[in-house]
């Protein structure tokens, strides 16, 4: 909630990803705060959480709906405009299908192109322990010098 209010999109994104990966439900207050984040990655993660029932209260889509138009496919929010459409998470603002009607993005949609993979952060099976982070190992024989 705190990071949502001060536009710390990275922190909010990681928290939402953790909710997806660990099956944690987002509280009513957090759902309201996240709905006010003007960031495509935050919006997609939040919409993904909502699509699989990980929100205590429905998200307010009002801010994000503004980007569900063809012009938004060519600005900073192109990812939200495209992915929310092809995932069926948000409808086009003015009816029809703003992605399919665009020659460039419509072609990508017809070819099944997606930039957000919903299978990369899925809740663990009930009873499974949370995943343990793995730190990369330093290859043997590697010499690290401080110059």
């Amino acid at each position: 909630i705190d990071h949502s209010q001060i536009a710390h999109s990275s922190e909010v994104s990681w928290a939402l990803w953790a909710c997806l990966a660990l099956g944690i439900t987002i509280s009513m207050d957090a759902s309201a705060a996240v709905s006010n984040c003007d960031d495509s990655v935050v919006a997609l993660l939040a919409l993904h959480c909502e699509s699989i029932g990980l929100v205590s209260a429905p998200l307010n889509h009002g801010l994000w709906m503004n980007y569900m138009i063809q012009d938004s496919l060519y600005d900073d929010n192109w990812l939200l405009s495209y992915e929310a459409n092809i995932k069926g998470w948000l409808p086009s603002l003015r009816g029809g299908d703003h992605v399919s009607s665009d020659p460039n993005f419509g072609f990508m949609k017809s070819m099944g192109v997606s930039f957000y993979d919903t299978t990369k952060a899925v809740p663990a099976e009930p009873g499974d322990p949370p995943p343990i982070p793995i730190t990369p190992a330093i290859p043997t024989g590697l010499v690290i010098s401080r110059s």
Side-chain angles (χ1 to χ4, degrees):
I1 294 169
D2 293 339
H3 289 283
S4 293
Q5 295 168 346
I6 53 178
H8 285 177
S9 298
S10 180
E11 288 79 1
V12 176
S13 296
W14 278 113
L16 291 168
W17 182 87
C19 290
L20 286 164
L22 301 173
I24 298 169
T25 300
I26 301 166
S27 72
M28 288 176 54
D29 291 339
S31 293
V34 164
S35 295
N36 290 315
C37 289
D38 194 6
D39 181 273
S40 290
V41 173
V42 169
L44 290 172
L45 288 161
L47 290 165
H48 185 187
C49 287
E50 184 175 50
S51 75
I52 60 172
L54 290 179
V55 292
S56 296
L59 298 169
N60 179 347
H61 300 157
L63 172 64
W64 305 328
M65 282 298 300
N66 293 318
Y67 304 120
M68 301 305 290
I69 58 173
Q70 199 167 11
D71 287 347
S72 291
L73 294 169
Y74 296 93
D75 69 19
D76 292 342
N77 293 293
W78 72 269
L79 184 64
L80 172 61
S81 184
Y82 179 77
E83 287 291 328
N85 172 274
I86 66 169
K87 299 284 192 277
W89 292 338
L90 294 176
S92 295
L93 184 61
R94 298 179 183 129
D97 184 338
H98 71 285
V99 174
S100 293
S101 63
D102 183 87
N104 300 310
F105 286 90
F107 174 75
M108 290 194 309
K109 182 177 180 178
S110 71
M111 298 303 291
V113 174
S114 177
F115 301 96
Y116 183 93
D117 188 344
T118 58
T119 66
K120 296 299 181 191
V122 294
E125 292 295 318
D128 284 353
I132 298 172
I134 300 171
T135 56
I138 297 175
T140 56
L142 180 66
V143 177
I144 300 173
S145 64
R146 290 184 167 82
S147 302

